[in-house]
Amino acid sequence: MHPEPRFFGVFEMLSRMNLPLTEVMPVYTGYYAALYDALSETYEWDLDDYLKLADRSPGGVLELGCGSGRITVPLAREGHQVVALDSSPDMLALLRRRLAKEDESVAGRVTIVRSDMRGLRLDRRFGLILLPANNISLLADEADRREVFARAREHLAPGGRFAFDNALAEDERLLTQNGDLVAFPASSAGEEQFVLSAHRYLPDEGVQLMNFYAESVDASGRTRRFLGGWTKAVLPDEAIDDLLAEAGLRTVETQTYDLDFDRRRMRLYTCVAGG
């Protein structure tokens, strides 16, 4: 599900330099799994709404693309039974580490499933299915998006809800990003780090590229280098409408968020079965 990164600008140049101790990896693996986990700890803009949805939706929660548990763990703390699904073993290892720090009662409410969401086949239905964190955009192929929405519909219990969020395609900030570099420091046990990142929107393909380059220096002065990135689909309203209609879903509620820290607007869709 996570293809090899597509590099542009200075990141393409760095990928060709063959610098020593350089690892190239998709964003949800290895070093970048840990970096994503650290950066997403402060993302709480959607959490209250997902918790409220879970309170209104008896029958258990299925979270697609659960990552390291930013939403999974708060749901379990609130008493919800959660099936947490992700295809990245590195992200699921971080989730297990997070759950190990929780009370046994919290950890016991979470069932972890390693699987690609496109092949979702669970022998049960759920009162709430979540596709958070703009994970829909990681499905760059239209056929993959249709498959995921169809599988979500099949796993909804009667009266259940399917909720997902999507970055608004008409947001000028998204459309005009064209390689502006952002640098920020990071740190972990015994190492000093910096991260360089940039986005590029490709209108002809309807995708946004994101590239990362990081250097990490340990106490001995040894430098490790990491190149990574992802490709995200930019989905207009019409594409969302088509997905819902084909899957037999309809929107019953939306919520829009203006995320200044992330330079984009997001819309949360809450859907039920029925045309």
Side-chain angles (χ1 to χ4, degrees):
M1 182 174 162
H2 306 306
E4 289 300 309
R6 295 171 59 183
F7 295 119
F8 60 85
V10 66
F11 303 94
E12 183 178 11
M13 179 191 71
L14 288 165
S15 72
R16 294 176 177 176
M17 289 178 66
N18 294 318
L19 294 170
L21 299 177
T22 299
E23 295 181 60
V24 179
M25 61 189 66
V27 77
Y28 294 111
T29 61
Y31 174 86
Y32 285 114
L35 176 64
Y36 178 85
D37 179 53
L39 294 177
S40 65
E41 281 186 355
T42 59
Y43 289 9
E44 296 182 345
W45 56 273
D46 54 352
L47 184 57
D48 283 347
D49 286 311
Y50 283 128
L51 291 174
K52 290 175 183 175
L53 276 173
D55 290 339
R56 293 159 45 197
S57 308
V61 181
L62 169 61
E63 184 182 356
L64 304 176
C66 65
S68 57
R70 179 181 69 90
I71 295 172
T72 306
V73 173
L75 284 169
R77 287 175 184 159
E78 293 294 315
H80 299 288
Q81 297 289 331
V82 185
V83 173
L85 182 145
D86 204 287
S87 62
S88 167
D90 294 330
M91 296 303 292
L92 291 179
L94 291 168
L95 171 56
R96 291 188 176 91
R97 190 179 308 167
R98 182 174 290 185
L99 287 171
K101 299 176 183 178
E102 299 288 328
D103 291 340
E104 289 185 9
S105 60
V106 174
R109 297 187 189 106
V110 179
T111 301
I112 295 175
V113 176
R114 182 186 171 190
S115 175
D116 188 319
M117 69 179 75
R118 294 170 296 186
L120 183 62
R121 293 290 190 279
L122 301 176
D123 190 23
R124 61 169 293 189
R125 296 190 176 195
F126 299 84
L128 178 64
I129 299 177
L130 303 179
L131 182 62
N134 202 204
N135 278 325
I136 185 176
S137 67
L138 297 176
L139 299 162
D141 185 81
E142 181 180 351
D144 290 340
R145 295 192 291 271
R146 294 183 184 279
E147 182 71 11
V148 169
F149 273 52
R151 299 290 77 74
R153 169 66 180 86
E154 289 177 359
H155 286 75
L156 276 181
R161 295 177 175 90
F162 173 46
F164 64 96
D165 51 52
N166 179 52
L168 297 186
E170 67 270 20
D171 190 337
E172 285 297 322
R173 290 172 299 181
L174 183 150
L175 298 177
T176 56
Q177 289 180 32
N178 197 28
D180 294 340
L181 296 176
V182 177
F184 55 92
S187 61
S188 61
E191 297 198 16
E192 294 297 324
Q193 308 170 51
F194 81 88
V195 181
L196 190 67
S197 69
H199 297 80
R200 174 166 290 180
Y201 176 55
L202 305 179
D204 291 342
E205 298 183 40
V207 300
Q208 182 190 50
L209 306 182
M210 186 170 188
N211 285 183
F212 287 103
Y213 173 74
E215 290 190 1
S216 180
V217 184
D218 64 21
S220 70
R222 175 174 171 264
T223 299
R224 295 183 300 154
R225 300 173 176 87
F226 304 92
L227 268 168
W230 55 29
T231 301
K232 288 189 172 185
V234 178
L235 302 175
D237 290 342
E238 312 86 78
I240 297 296
D241 292 342
D242 288 346
L243 282 169
L244 293 172
E246 183 163 320
L249 296 162
R250 61 182 175 87
T251 303
V252 293
E253 187 178 352
T254 63
Q255 175 72 33
T256 302
Y257 312 86
D258 195 344
L259 307 182
D260 288 334
F261 70 91
D262 211 15
R263 299 178 64 190
R264 59 181 173 168
R265 297 178 71 209
M266 299 289 296
R267 180 167 293 152
L268 169 63
Y269 297 79
T270 302
C271 308
V272 297

